[in-house]
Amino acid sequence: MSQVRVRFAPSPTGPLHIGGVRTALYNYLFAKKHGGTFILRIEDTDQTRYVPGSEDYIMQSLEWFGLVPEEGPGYGGDFGPYRQSERKDIYGKYATELVEKGHAYYCFDTSEDLAKMRADMADKGVHSAKYNYLTRGQMKNSLSLSKSETESLLDKGENITIRLKIPQDRTILIQDEVRGEVAFESNELDDKIILKGDGMPTYHMANIIDDHLMEITHVIRGEEWLPSTAHHVLMYEMFGWTPPSFSHLPLILKPTGKGKLSKRDGAKFGFPVFPLEWLDKDENVTYQGFKEDGYLPEAVVNFISLLGWNPGNDKERFSMEELIQAFDLSRIVKSGARFDVDKVRWFNQQYIISTPNSVLADMIAMTVREHGYDVSEDFLIKFVELMKERVEVLPEFFSAGGFFFKMPEEIEEKMARKKYKIENRPHFDALNSSMEDMQQFTSSALESTIKGYIADHELSFGAIMPILRLGVCGTMKGPDLFETMELIGQDEVIRRMKSSLDKFTAIKNAQNA
């Protein structure tokens, strides 16, 4: 295999969808496995759809995931510029070359001309008419006009485009690494515009030229580009160039398994479909981001790597290095992959659990400060150690474990009514006194003191432990109670219990009234 060179070539028309991230990931993994080069190319030939900020968003997203290009805008490289809008002067000569070879032609049609052609063809029973071998002869182009008429219109410089001249009666065969041999009939293809009136190339033209000049060896992209590949292969043939290897990736489907995952599905199903938060100024809508929603980039990478690729065994957890070693284009599946919301949360939980406590503490420190709590680093490290197996995303550390910082204002009254008995109040007062007298307020000492009291007074654990947890935490959910009490601290635990016991008694009296 020659030196592998692959490119991820997004358009800066908005935020980077998770499907685009997967395309970038597969390109990155393939390049790294084969000692090749991963290139970022910004395909911004359609300036009417350009969205300010989206190019920076794309780069920030790739870097958050660790998919850093070796070449691209801002990264350097010997094959630049890497923005197509900065390569405008390159494309014209190649389009002209195809015209001179008879593989393309000048067109001067207006939008009204095109609309009339489609209407005329519809009258003849041909719906969804194409600009092709059937219609090009009745249109205003250098194939239907005389040389002098063509030159006159070229001199005027109005409505000039260049279209590819698709040959008739050809079967175009493509050997796709994912789908095997794919055949297209040329009579079903349209004469696509390759150079627009403003001198900018269309995607099809720029894509071919840039891939050739940047020496791209493998094109790995979404299956939506498969129908266009017939045009691309023909252009390679027309230029006399060797095409790259093609791999077209399956769709990422909605959680229901029906239809392509869209940006609106995230809002509908309550999960992000973009790497980072994105404000759509036209819609005045902010879309969720995996980063802001508390996902670890390694977890999302692991999850999306399996959306369309099968490692060939039951292994699910992969580090980036393991993914690089295991990745193989032959194991990309043809069918669409369903986006499983529960699965991505599960992956994130597994990565949270395996992340060092000190690292997790750093991750949530800002959130804790934003809520107005000033605690030590040691406190946070112990806190995440206790909570990490109980959360799936980072914000849940605080939403599920906020009682470590402050006694919740609301307690689970239903459980209090069920578990608390007024006649046990003296036992809880006595336990409070015992805790006040403790010299070492450690989890082991607490366990010994409380369990000893229960045994000595022949009480049931069910009569005491739930009320202790409710009294300290306000909820029945949480990590080990004794470790929780140690971290919260002696004075605060006793204060909470005294306050809570008064609330429990009031709740019970109201129930019995």
Side-chain angles (χ1 to χ4, degrees):
M1 183 183 292
S2 59
Q3 176 68 32
V4 167
R5 290 178 58 81
V6 298
R7 84 305 194 269
F8 175 54
S11 298
T13 56
L16 180 60
H17 186 273
I18 202 65
V21 175
R22 186 194 59 177
T23 298
L25 173 62
Y26 285 3
N27 276 278
Y28 179 88
L29 295 176
F30 186 77
K32 294 299 180 182
K33 180 167 185 176
H34 296 284
T37 304
F38 173 59
I39 301 158
L40 173 65
R41 186 171 74 219
I42 300 297
E43 301 202 336
D44 58 348
T45 56
D46 190 348
Q47 292 291 298
T48 62
R49 297 179 62 218
Y50 178 80
V51 175
S54 54
E55 182 179 320
D56 287 340
Y57 179 97
I58 290 167
M59 295 181 185
Q60 291 166 11
S61 297
L62 293 179
E63 291 180 1
W64 184 64
F65 283 120
L67 309 178
V68 181
E70 282 90 11
E71 298 179 22
Y75 299 102
D78 297 329
F79 294 81
Y82 293 93
R83 292 184 187 91
Q84 287 184 337
S85 59
E86 297 173 2
R87 300 170 63 84
K88 181 178 178 180
D89 295 341
I90 296 174
Y91 306 113
K93 68 174 184 178
Y94 288 101
T96 302
E97 179 183 332
L98 289 183
V99 172
E100 292 172 349
K101 289 182 174 180
H103 297 310
Y105 55 97
Y106 294 107
C107 295
F108 311 98
D109 310 284
T110 64
S111 57
E112 291 77 15
D113 294 331
L114 295 170
K116 184 177 184 303
M117 178 269 286
R118 295 188 185 100
D120 291 345
M121 294 300 287
D123 291 340
K124 298 176 183 178
V126 180
H127 299 284
S128 301
K130 299 181 178 70
Y131 201 125
N132 61 6
Y133 73 101
L134 291 174
T135 58
R136 65 172 76 113
Q138 68 192 58
M139 303 304 293
K140 193 183 300 183
N141 55 61
S142 58
L143 298 179
S144 62
L145 301 173
S146 67
K147 183 177 180 181
S148 60
E149 288 175 313
T150 297
E151 290 176 349
S152 175
L153 289 170
L154 286 174
D155 288 339
K156 284 185 177 180
E158 298 175 358
N159 301 314
I160 302 173
T161 61
I162 296 180
R163 286 183 182 267
L164 195 66
K165 184 181 179 183
I166 301 297
Q168 285 180 243
D169 305 322
R170 282 276 308 275
T171 297
I172 301 134
L173 297 178
I174 299 165
Q175 193 62 37
D176 190 275
E177 295 292 334
V178 175
R179 297 162 195 282
E181 187 174 85
V182 184
F184 294 91
E185 297 303 321
S186 66
N187 290 355
E188 297 177 359
L189 305 179
D190 62 329
D191 291 359
K192 288 197 179 298
I193 293 175
I194 58 175
L195 199 71
K196 295 179 286 187
D198 60 1
M200 289 294 284
T202 60
Y203 165 81
H204 307 285
M205 180 71 173
N207 177 274
I208 296 306
I209 303 302
D210 289 345
D211 281 351
H212 174 71
L213 295 180
M214 294 181 184
E215 300 180 8
I216 300 302
T217 59
H218 295 75
V219 170
I220 304 169
R221 60 189 179 189
E223 72 172 29
E224 64 269 23
W225 296 112
L226 182 59
S228 302
T229 308
H231 290 87
H232 302 167
V233 169
L234 280 175
M235 278 193 275
Y236 276 107
E237 178 184 301
M238 293 167 179
F239 281 118
W241 299 337
T242 301
S245 168
F246 291 100
S247 299
H248 288 89
L249 310 177
L251 295 176
I252 296 180
L253 305 176
K254 301 174 187 285
T256 60
K258 297 179 180 179
K260 182 180 178 181
L261 182 71
S262 73
K263 68 179 182 181
R264 303 192 191 282
D265 291 322
K268 179 178 179 181
F269 294 103
F271 63 87
V273 296
F274 299 126
L276 313 176
E277 189 175 82
W278 173 261
L279 171 61
D280 189 316
K281 294 181 180 178
D282 291 335
E283 299 179 358
N284 196 28
V285 174
T286 298
Y287 289 97
Q288 298 168 253
F290 277 100
K291 180 181 180 181
E292 291 76 12
D293 275 18
Y295 288 85
L296 305 185
E298 301 86 354
V300 183
V301 163
N302 195 155
F303 169 71
I304 63 174
S305 72
L306 299 172
L307 291 178
W309 171 73
N310 183 344
N313 52 42
D314 295 331
K315 183 177 173 64
E316 289 190 296
R317 289 280 304 276
F318 291 87
S319 66
M320 183 68 83
E321 189 56 41
E322 288 172 331
L323 282 174
I324 291 169
Q325 295 305 315
F327 188 74
D328 192 319
L329 290 174
S330 67
R331 291 198 170 276
I332 295 176
V333 300
K334 299 178 185 178
S335 57
R338 184 175 69 88
F339 190 99
D340 186 336
V341 182
D342 294 332
K343 193 68 174 181
V344 68
R345 290 179 68 89
W346 177 84
F347 267 109
N348 204 56
Q349 182 181 48
Q350 300 310 302
Y351 275 83
I352 285 175
I353 291 171
S354 62
T355 298
N357 297 329
S358 59
V359 175
L360 287 174
D362 286 341
M363 290 179 179
I364 68 164
M366 179 66 75
T367 300
V368 173
R369 287 195 295 271
E370 288 173 350
H371 280 84
Y373 300 110
D374 183 16
V375 295
S376 69
E377 181 181 358
D378 289 341
F379 183 100
L380 280 184
I381 289 173
K382 182 62 178 179
F383 166 67
V384 297
E385 178 187 342
L386 292 177
M387 289 296 301
K388 66 194 302 185
E389 295 192 15
R390 296 176 172 272
V391 304
E392 292 181 329
V393 290
L394 294 178
E396 290 179 355
F397 273 106
F398 197 86
S399 63
F403 56 82
F404 277 94
F405 305 91
K406 179 184 178 182
M407 176 65 184
E409 295 179 5
E410 300 294 329
I411 61 173
E412 295 179 2
E413 290 193 15
K414 182 178 179 181
M415 188 59 66
R417 287 192 294 269
K418 179 179 179 181
K419 292 292 185 179
Y420 181 69
K421 292 181 173 54
I422 292 178
E423 58 267 28
N424 284 336
R425 174 70 187 256
H427 291 301
F428 291 110
D429 290 335
L431 280 169
N432 261 353
S433 295
S434 296
M435 289 190 290
E436 283 183 307
D437 294 337
M438 292 175 63
Q439 298 300 308
Q440 298 293 324
F441 201 75
T442 63
S443 60
S444 58
L446 282 163
E447 183 173 8
S448 176
T449 298
I450 293 169
K451 287 185 176 180
Y453 184 93
I454 290 172
D456 290 345
H457 293 80
E458 298 181 349
L459 300 169
S460 69
F461 279 88
I464 301 299
M465 298 303 295
I467 296 303
L468 283 176
R469 183 177 287 278
L470 275 177
V472 173
C473 307
T475 175
M476 292 301 294
K477 299 175 181 177
D480 179 83
L481 178 59
F482 302 117
E483 292 189 87
T484 297
M485 293 168 73
E486 177 185 345
L487 185 58
I488 290 174
Q490 188 172 20
D491 292 343
E492 178 65 11
V493 165
I494 293 165
R495 186 192 69 80
R496 290 186 186 186
M497 281 304 302
K498 288 178 178 179
S499 174
S500 297
L501 286 169
D502 291 339
K503 291 180 182 179
F504 297 156
T505 301
I507 290 170
K508 204 68 176 182
N509 285 332
Q511 181 183 13
N512 295 332

